[in-house]
Amino acid sequence: EGFDTSGSKLMGRQAAGEAFLKAYAEHGGSATLYCYSRTEAMFTNFQERVVALTGAKHAAQWIPHQQPNDLAKAGCLFVPGPNTADLVWQRRQFDPRDYSVCGITHTTASESIMDSIGDLMVAPYQSWDAVICTSEAVRGTFRQVLGDWEEYLKERTRGLVNAPVQLPVIPLGVDCAGLKAEGKAAGWRREWRARHDIGEDDIAVLFMGRLSYHAKAHPLPMYLGLENAARESKRNIHLIQAGWFANDSIEKAFSESARTICPSVNAIFLDGRDAHVRESIWYAADIFTSLSDNIQETFGLTPLEAMATGLPVVVTDWNGYRDTIVDGETGIAVPTVSLPPGLGGDIAFRHSAGLDSYDRYLGHASLCTSVDAGACAKAFLRLIGDADLRQRMGAAGQRHASQKFDWPVVIASYQALWDSLAARRRSAAIIAPRPDKGPAHPLRNDPFTLFAGYPTALLDGKARIALNPGAAGSWFKAIRQNPIVSFAPYLFLPGEETDNLLSKLSEMGESEIDAVLNLVPAESRGLAHRTLAWLTKLNVIRVVSARKRVGG
């Protein structure tokens, strides 16, 4: 799901994930690609995606979820999101030095993501783990949340707490060579402009992205800025909005607002989920704009894609956007203002209490954030009236994208990070090492430890057992395949090994469990002990004596 753009609800993180997978397969230089997934069908899907994205089949290996220790082969597990706490708890079952866990940020505004930031303080993360922040603004959010959480934990525990995980800033990447569309750009431009009656001297402004006034970018400053620019410039202005609507009411709100707020502008809506639209619509435009004002936005991939296609950009001075464009050189940054800290406590409470949905939470913050519509109009007017400026900024944007955000450059940053994490794994001390025979996760101990007070007695190594007369014969053959007792074969020894165990117990007669287990290879003794317990449930083995439980 994190690497798939074919769904009806296309999100930026999915586009970024798909692009990363393609780029890493092409530029990562790895002899083998590993896929860590729950099922072999998911691994097959992974292989098919890589072939579809790159046109070539790479050597790939499947690492099933039930075998996380095999991740040591790869050395680093990359996850297309920041929620990785379960994975580091899982790693604690084995040697924490076996591999690093590396996540990446997309939106950071949701409660689940806030919780995942808090997990960095309490889950068994190590200094060789990382969460990639795609912008300095995102890293600032992480540091704020971690600081608040640290202060609370210090008071709660009366101790020192910290998050050892690394927070490097690495941007998302773009395929600059592919976006130049050599040999196709002119044809695509003619196709789209003819289809929508955009004249040769007309100006087409493009917005690409999800069309949501409450959870992406409020269109008001874009509509106001373009209306003022159209009236003052006396040029024919076309606004292409390529995206998708979550529902009919949002679509109606956009279309009616465009008619009433910017009647001088020809508003064109296209389905941005269509692959041809996403690939070619850039070349119909003269200017790209994205006036994001929403806290769910963290990086903003579309301004990069626009620059890579040679378009000058008009974007907000907002979060990750300021990391990607060079104001006055590759485009124009429009000022934004929002409330000072301390004036949104009730907004946060309403969301955490379930009174408001996540979308409403985002919308409430958006309503208190404004984009300078006058500055928007001036930015559009500058570019509308100066073809040479559009060309210079577009060319500068292409150079900037190629030098800093082209996938080979970004993938090299990933690999440098992962190399540094590997060096830390070799030398840094393990934080909160797992205690000898203790649980990997203190809140997820094994059920026989947690509920040791439930049974009358414990079937430990000193318990004495014996075969029930005749039970290992026809009775066991009849009952062992019954679904009421055979629904979890992976918990016990395979059939032939179970038969061998019964044969040995038959030869030994009444015996201590430890004596029976000593006849089994060391690596199988845990399964063998559990198999003996299963056989007692089936009435194949009887318990002669066992240690009574102690306490309540």
Side-chain angles (χ1 to χ4, degrees), residues 16-328:
E18 183 179 77
F20 168 81
L21 181 59
K22 179 179 187 293
Y24 190 75
E26 290 180 339
H27 306 298
S30 298
T32 303
L33 298 177
Y34 296 92
C35 175
Y36 184 54
S37 64
R38 295 188 182 280
T39 67
E40 192 167 7
M42 290 180 178
F43 170 62
T44 300
N45 178 272
F46 167 79
Q47 289 181 300
E48 291 171 351
R49 284 185 188 281
V50 172
V51 172
L53 290 169
T54 65
K57 189 166 185 177
H58 287 68
Q61 287 188 24
W62 178 39
I63 299 179
H65 265 206
Q66 64 266 32
Q67 297 170 207
N69 51 313
D70 283 353
L71 287 166
K73 298 175 185 175
C76 183
L77 173 61
F78 174 71
V79 183
N83 305 67
T84 56
D86 287 350
L87 295 167
V88 295
W89 281 116
Q90 178 178 280
R91 181 181 62 185
R92 201 167 182 250
Q93 297 274 3
F94 309 99
D95 186 345
R97 293 189 190 278
D98 281 349
Y99 55 93
S100 296
V101 175
C102 180
I104 185 171
T105 60
H106 294 293
T107 185
T108 55
S110 70
E111 286 188 319
S112 65
I113 301 304
M114 292 296 176
D115 290 346
S116 76
I117 299 175
D119 287 336
L120 298 177
M121 288 275 194
V122 293
Y125 285 97
Q126 306 296 331
S127 63
W128 48 85
D129 300 319
V131 178
I132 293 171
C133 301
T134 54
S135 68
E136 287 290 350
V138 170
R139 183 157 64 174
T141 297
F142 263 65
R143 287 173 170 167
Q144 179 66 49
V145 175
L146 287 171
D148 293 343
W149 192 230
E150 180 179 358
E151 287 303 311
Y152 166 76
L153 289 176
K154 282 180 179 178
E155 291 298 317
R156 179 68 178 81
T157 64
R158 301 298 182 188
L160 297 176
V161 292
N162 63 73
V165 67
Q166 308 302 308
L167 296 173
V169 175
I170 301 177
L172 300 178
V174 289
D175 178 9
C176 289
L179 283 165
K180 285 182 181 177
E182 299 288 353
K184 297 180 180 179
W188 282 338
R189 182 176 177 86
R190 287 194 298 271
E191 170 197 341
W192 284 112
R193 290 176 80 98
R195 187 182 300 182
H196 294 285
D197 295 322
I198 303 173
E200 185 64 30
D201 294 328
D202 294 355
I203 297 294
V205 179
L206 171 66
F207 170 85
M208 170 75 84
R210 192 156 41 98
L211 293 162
S212 171
Y213 54 80
H214 65 283
K216 184 68 175 179
H218 202 289
L220 182 61
M222 179 173 66
Y223 290 168
L224 287 172
L226 285 173
E227 176 66 16
N228 289 334
R231 290 181 179 181
E232 189 164 339
S233 68
K234 304 295 192 294
R235 298 284 292 273
N236 292 329
I237 308 296
H238 306 262
L239 172 60
I240 303 170
Q241 295 171 86
W244 61 274
F245 302 100
N247 54 53
D248 292 343
S249 65
I250 294 176
E251 181 176 7
K252 182 180 179 182
F254 265 81
S255 58
E256 290 184 352
S257 295
R259 283 196 299 270
T260 58
I261 299 172
C262 53
S264 305
V265 177
N266 177 30
I268 301 165
F269 292 95
L270 300 177
D271 189 346
R273 294 167 295 189
D274 182 282
H276 180 59
V277 172
R278 292 206 311 273
E279 182 181 24
S280 61
I281 194 60
W282 308 99
Y283 307 96
D286 303 289
I287 300 167
F288 174 82
T289 189
S290 182
L291 303 177
S292 178
D293 58 358
N294 203 278
I295 59 173
Q296 68 81 34
E297 188 70 72
T298 56
F299 179 77
L301 190 58
T302 53
L304 277 187
E305 293 172 316
M307 286 191 293
T309 64
L311 286 174
V313 299
V314 176
V315 299
T316 37
D317 181 31
W318 182 257
N319 60 45
Y321 282 13
R322 66 172 63 100
D323 286 11
T324 55
I325 82 151
V326 181
D327 185 27

Side-chain angles (χ1 to χ4, degrees), residues 317-375:
D317 181 31
W318 182 257
N319 60 45
Y321 282 13
R322 66 172 63 100
D323 286 11
T324 55
I325 82 151
V326 181
D327 185 27
E329 183 177 323
T330 66
I332 301 172
V334 178
T336 58
V337 295
S338 192
L339 288 170
L343 292 178
D346 56 329
I347 295 175
F349 168 76
R350 288 182 60 85
H351 180 37
S352 64
L355 299 172
D356 292 329
S357 67
Y358 177 55
D359 270 11
R360 279 193 169 274
Y361 169 69
L362 297 176
H364 291 167
S366 171
L367 286 174
C368 299
T369 300
S370 64
V371 177
D372 189 332

Side-chain angles (χ1 to χ4, degrees), residues 457-467 501 504-505 508-520 524-536 541-547:
L458 300 176
L459 200 66
D460 61 13
K462 299 304 179 184
R464 298 185 67 81
I465 57 174
L467 286 178
L501 191 68
K504 290 172 183 176
L505 185 58
M508 297 170 67
E510 182 183 313
S511 306
E512 281 191 354
I513 285 180
D514 277 344
V516 180
L517 297 179
N518 283 335
L519 302 176
V520 177
S524 299
R525 286 174 188 166
L527 279 180
H529 200 153
R530 206 151 59 196
T531 301
L532 292 174
W534 179 61
L535 292 168
T536 65
I541 290 175
R542 62 188 173 89
V543 180
V544 179
S545 64
R547 177 171 61 90

